[in-house]
Amino acid sequence: MAPSAAADTVMVTRVVPPMAPARYVVREHLLGPLRVAVEDPRVALVLLSAAAGAGKTTLLGALADEFGYRRNQDVAWLQVDAVDRDPSRFWSGVAAAVDRVRAGVAEVVAGAARATGGAGEATVPVLVNLLDAGSPLLIVLDDLHLVDSPTVHNGLTLLLDRLPPQVTVAIGSRTDPPLRLGRLRVRGRMIELRTDDLQFHVAEAAAMLGTAHGLDTAQIEQVCRRTEGWAAGLVLAGLSLRRSDDTQTFVDSFGGADGLVSNYLADELLDSLADHDRDTLLASCVVDRLCGPLVDHLTGRDDGTQWLVRLAAANQLLRPLDSTGTWYRHHQLVLDLLRAEATRSLPDRLPELHRRAATWFGEHGEPEPVVRHLVLAGDRLQAAAVLAAGLGWRLIAAGAADTLHRMLAEVGDAADSITGCVLQAGWCALLRNEIDLAQQRLTRARAMREDDNRAWDPLYDALEINIALFRGTVAAALDAALPVLAADRLSELMSPMATSVGMALAWAGRLADARCTLEIARQRAAVDAAATVDVLSWIYLALAEAEVGTRIAAHDAADRAIESARQRGLAGYHRLAMAHAVRAATATDPAAVASDVDRALELARRPLGALDAGYVYAVAADVRLTAGAPDGADLLQHAQEIADRCPDPGVLGSRLRRIRDRHRLAQSIPTSTPGPVEPLTDRELAVLRLLPGQLSQRQIAAELFVSLNTVKTHSRGIFRKLAARDRRHAVQCARELGLL
C-alpha cells in the first residue's frame, strides 16, 4: 500500500527497517519468545533495554522481518532521532511509519499532532481509532532513549494503555523509558530482554566470527568471555582477526568491553586505512548520515558513493539506511568516538567542515541541519538568519514550537539581535503558555522593528491579539485588530492572522465585523490548507452567531467546527471546548446538550485562555442550572471568578449577566440600564475608551494630556450616566450599549 503524501515530511530512511548485517546470526532462542509475545493479544509492549552495541537493532530487524515479510503482516518501523524530542514530530514520525502500511494515517494523525503540539491526550486517541479496525500490526520504535520529552512518554503510556489487541509496540532503548513498566509487568502486558539476555553464547559467537579465522572452540570461548558476549565487541574482534597472523596472540591480548571500541579505532580501524580514507572517515563524521555526494562535498573526493559501498562491505559498523545503497550511518558508538578523534586530530578543520555541511544541506532544501551545522561552525548569527528567514515560521506552522524553542536556545545571543527571531521567541512563549515572556519578546521585537524602519507585519499584531485574549484583555486585543480592519488589509493576511483579528472582534462584541472577518479567514484557511485555522474560524463564527442570538446559525457553525476537526483527526483539540459549549447552548435535545457540556468541560481541563475557559464554564453552568443539577451554581461561580480576573472580559461578561438574569441569581455585577441617563460628552467618551485597558488614572491623564483630577471627574460622570458602580462595570455597560 502506497504511503500518503503527508508521510513525505518524515525522511524515508527513518521509516524503513534496516538491512541485516553481512554476517547475520539467527538467534532463535530470543526470536521465539518475541514471536509468541507479538502474537499474544494480551502483550502490548516488547522492550529491548540494553547497552549500546548489544544487538538491539539487529534483533528488532529480525523480528520485523519475521513478522512482516515471512508472515505477510504489517510492520511500521521508526528510527527515532533527536528531532523526536519535539512531541509533534515524534507522533508525526510514528504516523509516517504506520502510513507505509496503512495509507492515510499520516495525514490525520500528523494533523492532530501539529494542531496540539503533540499532546498525547489529543493525538493518541486519533491513532488508536485508526488502528482499531485494522489487521495485526507491529510498531517498532528503535533508539527511544534519544527522546527525553515527558509529553512523549506520557503519550506512549496512554498508547500502551489503549492499544488494540492486534497491535504490538516494540521498543529498543539504552535505558528504560518511563512508561509505567511495573504496571505492565504485573498485568502480563509486556516482555523484556536486557543486556544479560542479549549476550552472545559461544555457538552464536562462533557463527558470527566464522571459520575463516582459524579459531578453535577454546579460543572462541575466550573471545566470548573477554567481550562478555557483547555483539559490538565480537564484530570488532572479527574485523581485527582479518589482519592478525597469530590468532592465539590476538586472543590473549584482546581487551574486554571496557575501552574496546576506542582501542579498536585507534589501533586497528584508523591505522589500517590509507591516509585518504582515514581523512575521509574523520571529515565525514561531522554529519549524522552520509550519501556519496555529501561525502564528496565535505572531502573533495569524487568517488564518495563507491567509497561508502566499499566501507560498508568491509565494516559492519557502517550501516545502510535504505535498500538502494544511497544513505548510510555509522554505528553510534563508532560515530561518537570518530568525533572525539576528529576533535583531537583536526580541530582547525572542523568549523569549515560544518560550514560545508551547512552549504550542502541548504542547497538540498534541508534548513534544519543548516542551522545545527552553522551553530557548530560558530556562525550563530547566520544560523539565526536562517531561522528568521522562514524556517522558524515553518516550524511554528507545523506545531513544532518545542523544536524552534530548542534551536533558538542553541543559537543563543545571536537570536536576540535579529528581529524575526525575537518575534518567533514570543510566539514560542505564547504556545508554551508563558504569557509574560511572550509579551516581553513582543515588546522587544516591536522596538527593534521601529529601529529597523520595517514595513507593517501582521505577525506582530496577531501575537499581540493572542496575548491580550489569553489574559482576558479584550480592549487591548481590539486595539490591535481595529487598525487592520480600518486599513482594509484583511486580504493581505494569512489565515491565522485573519482568524486572530476575527477572534478579537467576536470577544469585543463587534459581531457583524467578526462574522465577516472570520468568513474571510475560513476561506483563506482552505487555500492555505490550514486545518487548525479552519476549525478555529468555525469555532469563533459559532461564538459570534451565539452572541448575536442567531441560534440556528450558531449551532450549525459549532457543528461544522466539531465535524471539521473530527475529519482532520483533531477531535481532541482543546479549543473545541468552545464549540461544544456553543452547540450545547443552542441545542434542543437534552441528551445532546448534556453530552456536549461533558465534552466541553473535559477539553477545558487543558490550558485555555481566560475568556475561552470562562465561556465554557458559564455555558456549562447554564445547562446544569436549567437541569437542576447541584453543581450548576459552583460552575457559575467558577466562571464568574475567571471573568473577575480578566481586565476586560468582553462578551463573557454579558453572557454571565444573562445567565444570572435567567436563573434569577444574585448579581455580582449590577444589571446595566437600557441606556445612559444622559449622553456622554466627548471628553468622557475619550476617557471611556481607555478604561478597558490596564492604564491607571494617572496614565490615562498623561495619554490625554489632561490633569489627574480631570480624569477622576470624567470617570465619576461616566459611572453616574451609565449607572455603573465601578470601572469594570462601566466598561461592561458601555460595551453592551455599543459605546466601545
Side-chain angles (χ1 to χ4, degrees), residues 161-221:
D161 283 345
R162 300 186 180 180
L163 207 61
Q166 75 275 19
V167 182
T168 308
V169 174
I171 290 174
S173 178
R174 295 183 187 177
T175 57
D176 281 2
L179 304 180
R180 299 182 184 174
L181 299 181
R183 184 174 66 175
L184 291 170
R185 287 190 194 100
V186 169
R187 296 180 178 180
R189 297 271 289 158
M190 70 176 287
I191 182 173
E192 55 193 317
L193 298 179
R194 302 189 169 277
T195 299
D196 291 346
D197 301 310
L198 294 173
Q199 288 179 355
F200 273 64
H201 301 156
V202 173
E204 294 172 324
M208 176 176 284
L209 294 172
T211 58
H213 305 303
L215 296 176
D216 58 30
T217 300
Q219 290 171 328
I220 291 174
E221 287 179 353

Side-chain angles (χ1 to χ4, degrees), residues 505-512 514-515 540-551 554 578 582 585-586 615 618-619 650-659 732 736:
L505 293 168
W507 282 118
R510 299 281 295 265
L511 301 172
R515 285 189 289 180
Y540 286 96
L541 273 170
L543 172 68
E545 297 289 359
E547 291 306 308
V548 169
T550 49
R551 189 184 190 95
M578 282 277 292
V582 171
T586 54
Y615 200 89
V619 170
V651 299
L652 171 59
S654 304
R655 169 67 65 165
L656 283 166
R657 181 186 58 78
R658 294 198 302 272
I659 293 171
Q732 189 63 50
E736 292 179 8

Side-chain angles (χ1 to χ4, degrees), residues 261-488:
V261 177
S262 57
N263 291 338
Y264 171 74
L265 277 174
D267 301 336
E268 298 290 339
L269 178 59
L270 294 178
D271 288 347
S272 68
L273 295 173
D275 289 344
H276 192 39
D277 286 339
R278 183 182 187 278
D279 289 346
T280 300
L281 196 62
L282 291 176
S284 61
C285 76
V286 298
V287 295
D288 296 328
R289 51 191 170 87
L290 298 165
C291 67
L294 176 54
V295 170
D296 293 341
H297 184 83
L298 289 171
T299 64
R301 298 182 75 120
D302 59 5
D303 63 342
T305 299
Q306 293 84 355
W307 179 80
L308 286 170
V309 171
R310 186 173 71 251
L311 188 64
N315 179 353
Q316 292 188 44
L317 301 177
L318 183 68
R319 296 178 174 176
L321 291 175
D322 53 41
S323 59
T324 63
T326 302
W327 285 98
Y328 297 82
R329 71 177 176 92
H330 289 292
H331 189 290
Q332 189 60 49
L333 281 172
V334 176
L335 183 61
D336 291 344
L337 286 152
L338 282 174
R339 287 175 174 172
E341 176 62 22
T343 300
R344 186 190 67 80
S345 60
L346 42 102
D348 296 337
R349 288 182 59 196
L350 287 178
E352 177 57 27
L353 288 169
H354 283 296
R355 289 188 192 96
R356 289 188 181 189
T359 300
W360 191 89
F361 282 113
E363 291 173 349
H364 289 78
E366 297 188 43
E368 286 189 54
V370 172
V371 172
R372 184 170 65 84
H373 285 293
L374 286 173
V375 168
L376 291 171
D379 294 341
R380 296 177 185 272
L381 193 61
Q382 185 60 35
V386 173
L387 286 172
L391 173 60
W393 301 118
R394 288 197 292 275
L395 290 171
I396 289 173
D402 280 4
T403 295
L404 176 57
H405 177 74
R406 196 158 29 240
M407 295 176 83
L408 288 167
E410 291 171 356
V411 170
D413 292 343
D416 286 337
S417 65
I418 296 182
T419 309
C421 287
V422 175
L423 186 61
Q424 288 169 3
W427 278 100
C428 282
L430 175 74
L431 295 170
R432 294 162 65 90
N433 295 323
E434 297 171 342
I435 307 304
D436 290 342
L437 179 59
Q439 183 64 65
Q440 293 170 16
R441 298 286 83 193
L442 173 61
T443 301
R444 175 170 169 75
R446 282 199 184 281
M448 294 170 70
R449 181 179 62 161
E450 291 173 2
D451 292 342
D452 294 342
N453 196 25
R454 296 291 179 88
W456 173 74
D457 187 339
L459 287 166
Y460 292 80
D461 296 323
L463 179 55
E464 184 162 352
I465 290 170
N466 280 279
I467 290 172
L469 292 180
F470 196 94
R471 286 175 165 169
T473 310
V474 170
L478 188 62
D479 286 345
L482 285 179
V484 181
L485 198 66
D488 195 23

Side-chain angles (χ1 to χ4, degrees), residues 70-91:
R70 297 184 186 179
R71 295 175 179 244
N72 196 31
Q73 293 174 320
D74 293 338
V75 175
W77 181 286
L78 178 64
Q79 183 63 52
V80 176
D81 200 296
V83 301
D84 295 313
R85 291 180 295 178
D86 187 311
S88 174
R89 294 190 149 196
F90 175 81
W91 291 111

Side-chain angles (χ1 to χ4, degrees), residues 468 472-481 508 648 650 689-693 731 735 740:
T473 310
V474 170
L478 188 62
D479 286 345
D648 177 12
R689 293 187 184 103
L690 295 177
L691 292 182
V731 169
R735 196 177 297 289
L740 287 174

